[in-house]
Amino acid sequence: MSKTATPPANPPANPVDTFWTIRLATTKEALEANNFEVSMAENLADAARIFLEDILPASGAKTVSFGGSMSIGKSGVPEALRAMDAIELLDTMNYKLPAAEMYELRRQALLVDLFLSSTNALTVDGKLVNLDMIGNRVGGINFGPRKVVLFVGRNKVVDSVDDGMRRIKEFSAPTNAIRLAKKTPCTKVAECMDCKSPDRICNVWTITEKAFPAKRIHVILINEDTGL
């Protein structure tokens, strides 16, 4: 006679969150081995708190700016920074600015004390994979600003660089093109067509294997899906 399976005595309340807690811990170890600084956040609100209460004061930053990031935009951090008299904010998230003025701000943002953004993909062995339109975001991540802080949702974590590039081409880039109302083929067919459109957002690839100098890049790993 078959026996009825006995459920575990204390099953996790949320197996998905538990899975990601384990996977993000592995990713954290890999990032730290690659000279990144890492914090763990339960959700986007927790990530914002960690940045505003811990990372920003410890950085001593006087000038701050952004690279494009939905996660940063939704975190409440831009609003908090705009209210700080002690911070000079180069506000590249002020989309009411004329295009020429925005472009110049993005150039100036490459020399701020602290640069905030995200990454398109993060490998479980601790590498950043990004694809940019202009190059200001990946430029700021890799050189220029004295300190970089990246808000990274668990949905960005992939197994390998190839998986990261595939994720970007098959999902992130078309979805961002749709979000930004770009006139590109991917907005119609929901997949990359390697187009020659003037609106193409897929122009500059970067793979960041290690942070240099060590701990210049601080990654906040968020146990929540956020951003594209």
Side-chain angles (χ1 to χ4, degrees):
M1 181 183 295
S2 63
K3 295 183 179 180
T4 303
T6 303
N10 297 297
N14 191 324
V16 174
D17 285 350
T18 301
F19 168 87
W20 277 111
T21 297
I22 297 167
R23 189 162 171 81
L24 291 178
T26 300
T27 306
K28 178 178 185 290
E29 290 181 5
L31 283 166
E32 290 173 338
N34 287 342
N35 298 329
F36 295 87
E37 193 165 7
V38 186
S39 295
M40 303 283 274
E42 287 302 313
N43 49 46
L44 188 56
D46 190 34
R49 179 193 61 77
I50 290 168
F51 171 73
L52 292 169
E53 295 182 6
D54 300 332
I55 299 174
L56 180 61
S59 74
K62 301 300 182 185
T63 55
V64 179
S65 194
F66 311 108
S69 167
M70 287 180 66
S71 297
I72 299 293
K74 292 180 178 180
S75 69
V77 167
E79 292 80 5
L81 290 170
R82 290 178 189 123
M84 293 182 184
D85 293 334
I87 294 292
E88 179 186 351
L89 181 64
L90 280 69
D91 195 350
T92 58
M93 287 190 177
N94 181 1
Y95 299 110
K96 296 179 181 179
L97 294 175
E101 189 173 340
M102 180 69 81
Y103 189 86
E104 183 58 27
L105 267 181
R106 287 170 172 164
R107 289 182 65 247
Q108 295 173 17
L110 299 177
L111 291 176
V112 294
D113 296 330
L114 192 150
F115 187 79
L116 281 159
S117 193
S118 186
T119 186
N120 295 131
L122 168 62
T123 67
V124 75
D125 62 347
K127 300 180 180 70
L128 310 178
V129 186
N130 283 289
L131 180 59
D132 230 10
M133 181 179 185
I134 299 172
N136 65 296
R137 179 176 61 97
V138 296
I141 289 172
N142 291 296
F143 184 74
R146 297 183 187 281
K147 183 77 173 177
V148 175
V149 180
L150 304 178
F151 281 45
V152 184
R154 66 190 188 187
N155 50 309
K156 305 284 189 76
V157 177
V158 296
D159 286 332
S160 68
V161 169
D162 285 345
D163 290 330
M165 296 177 80
R166 189 176 303 111
R167 178 187 191 277
I168 293 166
K169 279 289 191 177
E170 294 180 359
F171 175 71
S172 298
T175 309
N176 272 308
I178 292 168
R179 176 176 69 89
L180 297 169
K182 295 297 182 180
K183 296 176 182 178
T184 54
C186 64
T187 65
K188 305 298 183 184
V189 299
E191 63 178 292
C192 178
M193 303 300 289
D194 194 19
C195 71
K196 293 180 172 57
S197 168
D199 263 5
R200 176 182 169 122
I201 66 172
C202 302
N203 297 318
V204 184
W205 281 104
T206 63
I207 299 168
T208 310
E209 295 197 356
K210 292 184 183 293
F212 184 85
K215 297 188 177 181
R216 172 181 170 269
I217 301 176
H218 191 137
V219 178
I220 304 178
L221 291 173
I222 305 169
N223 195 1
E224 178 179 71
D225 291 357
T226 179
L228 299 175

